């Protein structure tokens, strides 16, 4: 009786197995990951030659979680992570075609920006610092284009620029530049040895010249400063060596984009001003010293989009030339 029951059970089991499809017989147990992978990709996973481990994959996923270009918003979060993981495992040569064109495009754009001339796109004219306008006098434009910001190493030229900068207390650059040749003639080319020997007669002649328009106190100031320069020459060998020593014999290159960024005085100018005052110089406050440094090229303060900026920077990067 027991054997008969077992026989019937075996027969029933045999019939059920016989009616089962071959695919169902061979169907293995699937993990949740395999189900989702087959849902996205109709291919089976193959063993990867990549050295990435599951832990490194999870790290890569977290590092790239904010990359919108690798995210499909229409997919589920699990599908997004799987898709990103597969893209990271893919060999480098398979991903190159997506990366290289972008890099080349960025490099080409950067190269074009470097070669772009400093010209106004509207008028096609050279871009200058914003304080040079269409109404600016030609002498002022010429000073900006040819002298302002060019490193000066000659003692006489440095003395001249220091004297002209001191006149900014009474006049603007345009007014000063228009009379520059008169100043050079009156002060013997700003040779400190000659100016330092000027007496009351020469001082009165210069101050009484209506074309020069310098008060006696201003003329005496220039004469006294010439005497101070001679003392510095005896101590340092030259006025140029003394002044350039403040900036380690190399111009300070700034990158100002707007006129409001350009300071009227700087900590360096304040330090130089204090030292010059201690040495007996007059009319050498921080603002005047800052203007002197800009004019003499000790500091490059042209705006970055000015056509003279790159030219003056090129001059500033040369080795120090003491004359």
């Amino acid at each position: 009786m027991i054997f008969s029951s077992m026989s019937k059970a075996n027969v029933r089991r045999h019939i059920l197995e016989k009616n089962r499809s071959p695919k169902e017989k061979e169907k293995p147990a699937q993990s949740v990951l395999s189900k989702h992978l087959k849902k996205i990709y109709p291919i089976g996973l193959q063993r990867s030659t990549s050295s990435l481990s599951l832990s490194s994959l999870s790290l890569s996923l977290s590092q790239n979680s904010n990359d919108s270009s690798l995210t499909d918003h229409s997919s589920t979060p699990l599908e997004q992570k799987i898709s990103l993981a597969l893209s990271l495992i893919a060999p480098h040569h398979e991903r190159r075609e997506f990366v290289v064109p972008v890099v080349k495009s960025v490099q080409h754009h950067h190269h074009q920006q470097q070669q772009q001339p400093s010209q106004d796109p509207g008028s096609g004219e050279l871009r200058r610092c914003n304080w040079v306008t269409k109404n600016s006098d030609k002498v002022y434009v010429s000073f900006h284009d040819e002298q302002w910001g060019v490193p000066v190493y000659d003692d006489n030229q440095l003395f001249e620029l220091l004297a002209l900068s001191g006149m900014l207390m009474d006049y603007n650059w345009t007014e000063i530049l228009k009379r520059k040749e008169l100043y050079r003639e009156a002060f013997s080319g700003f040779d400190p040895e000659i100016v330092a020997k000027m007496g009351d007669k020469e001082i009165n002649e210069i101050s009484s010249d209506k074309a020069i328009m310098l008060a006696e106190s201003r003329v005496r100031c220039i004469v006294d400063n010439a005497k101070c320069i001679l003392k510095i020459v005896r101590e340092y060998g030259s006025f140029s060596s003394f002044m350039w020593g403040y900036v380690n014999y190399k111009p300070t290159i700034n990158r100002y984009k707007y006129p409001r960024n350009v300071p009227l005085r700087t900590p360096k100018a304040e330090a130089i001003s204090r030292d010059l005052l201690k040495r007996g110089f007059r009319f050498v406050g921080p603002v005047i010293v800052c203007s002197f440094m800009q004019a003499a090229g000790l500091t490059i303060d042209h705006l970055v989009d000015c056509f003279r900026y790159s030219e003056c920077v090129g001059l500033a990067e040369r080795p120090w030339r003491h004359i």
Side-chain angles (χ1 to χ4, degrees), residues 34-234:
S34 298
K35 289 181 181 179
H36 282 283
L37 285 174
K38 285 191 174 182
K39 182 179 178 181
I40 302 172
Y41 302 103
I43 58 174
L45 279 175
Q46 299 178 353
R47 185 179 298 275
S48 172
T49 58
S50 172
S51 61
L52 290 174
S53 62
L54 289 177
S55 61
S56 64
L57 275 178
S58 63
L59 177 62
S60 299
L61 286 171
S62 64
Q63 289 174 338
N64 292 277
S65 59
N66 294 326
D67 191 346
S68 59
S69 64
L70 299 176
T71 304
D72 184 2
H73 296 283
S74 63
S75 306
T76 64
L78 180 58
E79 292 172 352
Q80 294 172 5
K81 292 182 178 181
I82 294 171
S83 175
L84 178 58
L86 291 174
S87 68
L88 291 171
I89 296 175
H92 179 69
H93 63 83
E94 294 182 6
R95 300 197 303 266
R96 190 185 306 169
E97 58 180 341
F98 299 100
V99 178
V100 173
V102 176
V103 175
K104 285 185 177 179
S105 176
V106 173
Q107 290 177 345
H108 180 65
H109 178 66
H110 179 66
H111 184 64
Q112 283 184 332
Q113 283 185 332
Q114 288 181 333
Q115 290 185 337
Q116 183 180 3
S118 299
Q119 293 184 343
D120 190 322
S123 62
E125 297 180 355
L126 291 174
R127 287 181 179 176
R128 294 180 171 87
C129 297
N130 291 14
W131 48 84
V132 180
T133 67
K134 293 181 179 180
N135 297 326
S136 297
D137 193 280
K138 291 182 179 180
V139 68
Y140 182 67
V141 176
S142 177
F143 178 64
H144 168 274
D145 291 357
E146 300 173 9
Q147 300 179 45
W148 197 74
V150 175
V152 175
Y153 305 97
D154 180 72
D155 279 8
N156 292 7
Q157 293 179 11
L158 287 171
F159 178 32
E160 176 184 305
L161 289 174
L162 183 62
L164 297 183
S165 298
M167 297 177 191
L168 289 171
M169 296 185 64
D170 302 314
Y171 307 106
N172 58 43
W173 270 119
T174 299
E175 295 171 331
I176 294 170
L177 293 171
K178 285 183 176 181
R179 295 190 288 267
K180 184 174 64 174
E181 294 302 325
L182 295 176
Y183 297 144
R184 285 179 175 175
E185 182 178 354
F187 293 100
S188 302
F190 287 95
D191 185 333
E193 292 187 359
I194 298 177
V195 176
K197 296 176 181 179
M198 287 184 175
D200 292 339
K201 180 181 178 180
E202 291 84 359
I203 292 174
N204 290 331
E205 288 180 356
I206 296 174
S207 60
S208 61
D209 191 333
K210 295 182 179 179
I212 294 179
M213 298 180 64
L214 278 181
E216 181 182 343
S217 60
R218 297 291 189 264
V219 178
R220 290 188 180 276
C221 170
I222 294 174
V223 174
D224 291 342
N225 287 350
K227 296 176 182 178
C228 294
I229 289 176
L230 292 182
K231 294 179 181 179
I232 289 177
V233 171
R234 288 192 292 268

